[in-house]
Amino acid sequence: MKKLIAVFLVIMLVLSVSGCGKNPDDTAAGIIKRETPLKYGINAHIFELRPVMDPSSVLANVSDMSGVFGFEYYRLSTPLDSMFTVGEGDVPIFKEGQRKLIHQVIEKMTAAGVKKFVAVSDAPIYPYGYKVTTTGVIPDPVVERDMYIRWMKLYARAWAMIVEEFPEIAYVETVNEPDLGDANIFTKQGHQWGVDDQYKYSTSDKAHMIADLQYYTYKAVKEVNPKVSVTTPGFSTRREGEGFLDVLYEAIESGAHPFGEDFGDTNPDNYFDAINFHCYLNTDTIDEYFKHCDDFYKATERHNDVGKPAILTECGFTDHDNEANEITNGEKMTELLNLYNEKMPYLEAVMFYMLNDYHTYSVNTSEDNFGLFTSFGDPEKPCCPKPATIVLYKFMHKTEDITPLYKYCPELIRK
């Protein structure tokens, strides 16, 4: 009898151990064990590249603090309209000053320790002689069929030239946040910048157009450098963009693409190598935030594209220039980092927006205060780390020594 009881207890012990930790959420993609360490990167508008931005964020300052922090990824701004002019025959021609400047940025950021560059455009170029009512207008594939095809091929050719000229680029992000309905990108001819008018494409129309753009760009880039990863656009995941990845997959699955060819390609692997999206922890709880991000990514499962890697090219939070919010964000950062590492193993990298607050340049109170640091130009506390920044640095480097973060404001170091 004792032997039977002993055997029974052993069996129960084995069953309890094998079921340990199981819960309804364990089937989520995020519970799969991470196989490679998560990489960290930064968004930083460099004044030389975008001279309308904060003039204190010059290349020397940005590269210096990126190196101090140890960021391995950098989101490199390469708007096509600032990179090229277009000649007869729809030939993209590098603007020499911008070409040299991008080389300088890559050289300085590489010397600072950046290993991967994600090149992104937020402004298109247009076929020779094509005039638009505002930057961001895209030729209509129905009423401007020939111009639309010319535009796609020009866009793809420009990206191929970029990856050939700058072999350090590891990722091509074709366009930034085209899924937002209130954005000024992917609009119809007639649209005026910043005006809520009728010259907009539907979500479905935009998804079909992006499918074309991805296909042609993917093919052109891979012919130049097969090692470059072509991502989806950096999707906002907000409002009408919340389910946009599903709609893009549906467009590809329709067999209607690539437009202008006599065949249909339904394989998403011929459109993008990685999912690229943005996810901000604003007023959400960490569980709500995870559900929002994870549900967006899980379009890969819903459309038989399981295993596609992803990068967050924008994440983080603003403090609205409020010290109490800074403290709250510091507390949230710990939860955020644990979430990315433990429940989102499909992420290759997360890139924080931004390196520094704006100071003499302003958009609004929210946009101006996304920085991990204050502005380099802040006269009272130049490039001073916020609480969330300190948490991130300690987490990345497994250290309690935060002295390096106060390089530009040593007298303000937290004791």
Side-chain angles (χ1 to χ4, degrees), residues 3-78:
K3 287 184 178 180
L4 287 174
I5 293 173
V7 170
F8 175 77
L9 290 174
V10 168
I11 291 172
M12 292 302 293
L13 178 61
V14 170
L15 289 174
S16 65
V17 170
S18 64
C20 182
K22 291 288 183 182
N23 62 64
D25 292 330
D26 280 357
T27 56
I31 309 301
I32 300 170
K33 184 178 180 181
R34 174 174 291 284
E35 295 182 356
T36 57
L38 183 65
K39 304 298 184 183
Y40 300 93
I42 193 66
N43 284 262
H45 289 310
I46 293 173
F47 182 70
E48 290 93 332
L49 280 179
R50 309 195 77 159
V52 298
M53 308 303 281
D54 192 320
S56 66
S57 289
V58 295
L59 175 57
N61 288 346
V62 169
S63 60
D64 182 44
M65 281 312 295
S66 295
V68 166
F69 215 101
F71 289 119
E72 294 187 47
Y73 278 56
Y74 175 63
R75 195 174 183 219
L76 178 67
S77 181
T78 54

Side-chain angles (χ1 to χ4, degrees), residues 11 16 26 38 40 47 70 95 108 113 121 130 138-139 144 165 178 197 199 228 230 259 261 372 395:
I11 291 172
S16 65
D26 280 357
L38 183 65
Y40 300 93
F47 182 70
K95 294 180 181 179
K108 289 283 286 186
S121 175
Y130 185 67
I138 306 301
E144 301 174 284
E165 178 70 22
D197 53 36
Y199 299 103
V228 173
V230 178
F259 189 87
E261 298 289 353
L372 293 174
F395 189 96

Side-chain angles (χ1 to χ4, degrees), residues 163-164 167 169 220-229:
V163 298
E164 184 173 32
I169 290 173
V221 166
K222 295 295 183 177
E223 286 175 354
V224 172
N225 187 347
K227 294 181 180 180
V228 173
S229 177

Side-chain angles (χ1 to χ4, degrees), residues 301-312:
E301 296 180 13
R302 293 188 288 271
H303 295 274
N304 300 312
D305 200 20
V306 176
K308 192 79 83 178
I311 56 173
L312 278 177

Side-chain angles (χ1 to χ4, degrees), residues 79-354:
L80 299 189
D81 66 343
S82 71
M83 298 293 295
F84 298 98
T85 57
V86 180
E88 292 187 39
D90 297 342
V91 177
I93 303 165
F94 271 118
K95 294 180 181 179
E96 189 60 18
Q98 200 73 1
R99 186 189 69 81
K100 290 181 178 178
L101 187 53
I102 293 293
H103 277 296
Q104 292 171 12
V105 170
I106 289 174
E107 181 180 357
K108 289 283 286 186
M109 296 300 283
T110 299
V114 169
K115 295 180 174 61
K116 302 278 188 180
F117 291 89
V118 181
V120 56
S121 175
D122 57 8
I125 52 174
Y126 299 100
Y128 183 76
Y130 185 67
K131 305 298 182 183
V132 295
T133 51
T134 189
T135 298
V137 163
I138 306 301
D140 191 308
V142 176
V143 300
E144 301 174 284
R145 183 182 188 279
D146 292 343
M147 188 60 70
Y148 176 69
I149 294 173
R150 285 174 59 189
W151 172 76
M152 286 188 299
K153 293 183 176 180
L154 169 65
Y155 202 98
R157 193 177 303 126
W159 271 116
M161 289 177 62
I162 288 175
V163 298
E164 184 173 32
E165 178 70 22
F166 308 105
E168 299 88 351
I169 290 173
Y171 297 85
V172 163
E173 180 182 343
T174 50
V175 61
N176 179 61
E177 297 191 345
D179 51 324
L180 279 181
D182 58 359
N184 290 291
I185 191 72
F186 269 79
T187 55
K188 294 182 178 182
Q189 188 72 279
H191 177 66
Q192 299 294 331
W193 187 271
V195 177
D196 185 15
D197 53 36
Q198 73 273 27
Y199 299 103
K200 296 181 180 180
Y201 293 106
S202 69
T203 295
S204 178
D205 286 342
K206 284 198 287 187
H208 279 278
M209 296 165 75
I210 289 168
D212 287 326
L213 184 67
Q214 290 294 136
Y215 184 91
Y216 281 99
T217 300
Y218 189 95
K219 182 179 179 182
V221 166
K222 295 295 183 177
E223 286 175 354
V224 172
N225 187 347
K227 294 181 180 180
V228 173
S229 177
V230 178
T231 78
T232 67
F235 289 129
S236 71
T237 75
R238 293 184 290 123
R239 299 191 293 279
E240 65 276 17
E242 190 165 339
F244 199 90
L245 186 55
D246 282 291
V247 185
L248 177 58
Y249 273 116
E250 289 164 6
I252 294 170
E253 291 160 359
S254 73
H257 306 282
F259 189 87
E261 298 289 353
D262 58 2
F263 62 88
D265 192 328
T266 60
N267 184 355
D269 288 346
N270 294 327
Y271 293 79
F272 47 83
D273 298 307
I275 308 302
N276 183 338
F277 65 109
H278 305 160
C279 222
Y280 287 98
L281 179 56
N282 298 315
T283 58
D284 295 340
T285 66
I286 198 69
D287 289 337
E288 292 169 337
Y289 176 79
F290 170 62
K291 185 178 187 305
H292 174 69
C293 298
D294 199 50
D295 280 354
F296 184 85
Y297 171 79
K298 282 186 178 176
T300 58
E301 296 180 13
R302 293 188 288 271
H303 295 274
N304 300 312
D305 200 20
V306 176
K308 192 79 83 178
I311 56 173
L312 278 177
T313 48
E314 290 185 25
C315 65
F317 20 64
T318 180
D319 54 61
H320 293 92
D321 195 25
N322 181 292
E323 190 170 346
N325 289 342
E326 289 185 16
I327 295 170
T328 300
N329 290 345
E331 296 166 352
K332 289 180 177 180
M333 180 63 90
T334 299
E335 292 184 299
L336 202 62
L337 294 171
N338 288 331
L339 174 63
Y340 292 154
N341 280 277
E342 295 173 10
K343 296 187 72 175
M344 301 175 74
Y346 44 81
L347 291 178
E348 292 184 342
V350 297
M351 306 180 69
F352 286 90
Y353 186 94
M354 295 278 294

